[in-house]
Amino acid sequence: MDSSYGRTSSLQDQQFARPTIHDLPFELLSHIIYLFAQDYSSHLTRIQNLCYVCSKWRDVVEGTPRLWCQLSGGDPLQGVKKAIHYSRDHPLDIDYNWFLHRHGSAKDDFFSAVSLHTWRWRHVSIVVEKMSESLRQGWGIWKAPR
């Protein structure tokens, strides 16, 4: 006990110090964040918000490509572009549902951003009310013969 301050010395404090989340290895924190972010419709927004917790979390989130691989038409276009960048060359899961995402990124802007990376697509789900002729031509989809 340090009599001048009425508390234990720093050596004793170090012996009883509890580990914090900042003591976790990069890979373990990355996996915890990955599990946390799964199965949420606003996946990309949640991932981006985690970057604001602290600099270590930002480094982990931005340095873990698999966290950025789920792209949705409901995400803001800037977020989609950021995710494409941080996902590096990892496979992408693309989800566009006109009924759910018509207030998110503009359809053409979203598809323009993700279509540059078709070689990386692992899973694609596109639900539209009525596919426009320009969208069909852009994707190389033609009407079936009758």
Side-chain angles (χ1 to χ4, degrees):
M1 197 60 145
D2 184 340
S3 60
S4 62
Y5 294 106
R7 56 183 204 146
T8 59
S9 70
S10 63
L11 179 58
Q12 288 177 326
D13 286 341
Q14 290 174 6
Q15 291 175 343
F16 298 110
R18 292 184 173 192
T20 69
I21 195 162
H22 296 292
D23 297 323
L24 291 174
F26 182 98
E27 295 79 11
L28 184 56
L29 183 55
S30 170
H31 187 68
I32 291 169
I33 291 172
Y34 176 78
L35 294 175
F36 162 77
Q38 297 308 300
D39 300 325
Y40 288 97
S41 60
S42 57
H43 170 83
L44 191 53
T45 301
R46 293 174 70 85
I47 292 299
Q48 291 180 22
N49 287 340
L50 291 175
C51 291
Y52 298 118
V53 172
C54 66
S55 61
K56 178 170 182 169
W57 283 37
R58 183 188 63 239
D59 292 345
V60 169
V61 170
E62 291 178 353
T64 307
R66 73 179 181 154
L67 293 175
W68 299 94
C69 294
Q70 294 180 7
L71 307 178
S72 167
D75 296 321
L77 184 60
Q78 282 306 110
V80 170
K81 290 179 178 180
K82 183 177 182 177
I84 289 170
H85 171 75
Y86 284 123
S87 65
R88 297 188 188 115
D89 289 336
H90 282 64
L92 300 173
D93 296 327
I94 311 295
D95 176 48
Y96 185 87
N97 184 325
W98 184 86
F99 299 100
L100 300 175
H101 304 142
R102 61 182 153 203
H103 301 296
S105 299
K107 167 183 64 185
D108 293 335
D109 293 337
F110 176 76
F111 286 123
S112 292
V114 299
S115 67
L116 298 173
H117 303 273
T118 54
W119 59 274
R120 296 172 50 197
W121 291 5
R122 175 178 46 195
H123 172 82
V124 178
S125 173
I126 301 173
V127 177
V128 292
E129 179 184 37
K130 179 180 177 188
M131 189 172 280
S132 69
E133 188 64 30
S134 64
L135 183 60
R136 229 187 342 263
Q137 288 176 355
W139 286 85
I141 301 171
W142 306 100
K143 290 183 180 177
R146 294 188 186 252

